[in-house]
């Protein structure tokens, strides 16, 4: 005897259960991206405003004023490249430019050099840190010494 099963009938064994709710599908496409874009612009707006007010406007205003004859109480008068020509012919400008370059080179070389030398001395003295600390390391406040001690203890533990 052959039996035909009806595919629409369900056999329920045990207690009746409810079906889980259908999975919520997130919308994709331009509509959902538009909402995210609005939030992104809202979050980025203070940074853009700060950039415009404190960097872009003063920079562009300075470039504009460099091509004008400007005094506080009078409106700017366009002079074109006249100010640039005067700047190129001014010996004080070249002297101040040289002093600035000298200062930058010395501070960068000395700043990086001293930092690098300090790091090299510290790393070469690692096995004998106690003796090296007494010899080379200047007296510092307790927080730095405890941080160095913590680092050495952690290194010794493995």
């Amino acid at each position: 005897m052959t039996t035909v099963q009806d595919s629409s009938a369900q056999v329920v064994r045990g207690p009746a259960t409810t079906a889980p709710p259908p999975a919520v599908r997130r919308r994709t496409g331009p509509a959902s991206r538009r909402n995210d874009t609005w939030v992104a612009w809202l979050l980025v707006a203070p940074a853009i405003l700060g950039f415009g007010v404190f960097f872009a406007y003063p920079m562009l205003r300075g470039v504009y004023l460099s091509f004008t004859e400007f005094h506080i109480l009078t409106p700017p008068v366009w002079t074109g490249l006249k100010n640039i020509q005067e700047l190129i012919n001014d010996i004080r400008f070249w002297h101040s430019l040289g002093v600035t370059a000298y200062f930058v080179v010395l501070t960068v070389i000395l700043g990086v050099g001293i930092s690098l030398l300090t790091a090299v001395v510290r790393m070469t003295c690692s096995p004998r840190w106690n003796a090296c600390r007494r010899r080379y390391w200047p007296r510092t406040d307790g927080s730095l010494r405890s941080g160095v001690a913590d680092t050495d203890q952690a290194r010794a533990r493995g």
Side-chain angles (χ1 to χ4, degrees):
M1 178 171 161
T2 60
T3 58
V4 177
Q5 281 189 332
D6 185 12
S7 62
S8 63
Q10 288 184 332
V11 177
V12 177
R13 293 185 182 144
T17 59
T18 59
V24 177
R25 295 182 68 189
R26 289 197 73 138
R27 280 192 272 165
T28 59
S32 66
R33 278 190 233 123
R34 194 174 317 123
N35 293 339
D36 292 344
T37 303
W38 180 82
V39 172
W41 279 111
L42 182 67
L43 294 173
V44 174
I48 292 173
L49 182 67
F51 174 79
V53 169
F54 296 111
F55 180 75
Y57 174 74
M59 184 187 67
L60 294 174
R61 177 84 173 158
V63 169
Y64 165 72
L65 291 177
S66 71
F67 292 106
T68 64
E69 184 70 34
F70 176 70
H71 300 286
I72 294 292
L73 299 175
T74 61
V77 177
W78 184 262
T79 59
L81 296 175
K82 180 182 166 204
N83 291 339
I84 306 294
Q85 290 171 345
E86 287 181 20
L87 193 64
I88 289 172
N89 296 327
D90 190 5
I91 191 72
R92 291 177 296 176
F93 167 73
W94 294 108
H95 176 70
S96 64
L97 194 63
V99 169
T100 302
Y102 179 72
F103 174 76
V104 168
V105 167
L106 280 182
T107 54
V108 168
I109 288 175
L110 288 178
V112 171
I114 289 172
S115 301
L116 185 62
L117 180 66
T118 304
V120 167
V121 166
R122 169 67 177 96
M123 292 311 293
T124 57
C125 293
S126 290
R128 308 170 309 241
W129 175 240
N130 288 332
C132 183
R133 182 178 56 189
R134 280 185 242 115
R135 191 175 312 138
Y136 298 118
W137 213 253
R139 294 279 181 194
T140 58
D141 64 49
S143 63
L144 179 62
R145 277 185 270 166
S146 67
V148 170
D150 291 344
T151 303
D152 289 341
Q153 288 172 1
R155 188 178 289 157
R157 276 185 260 147

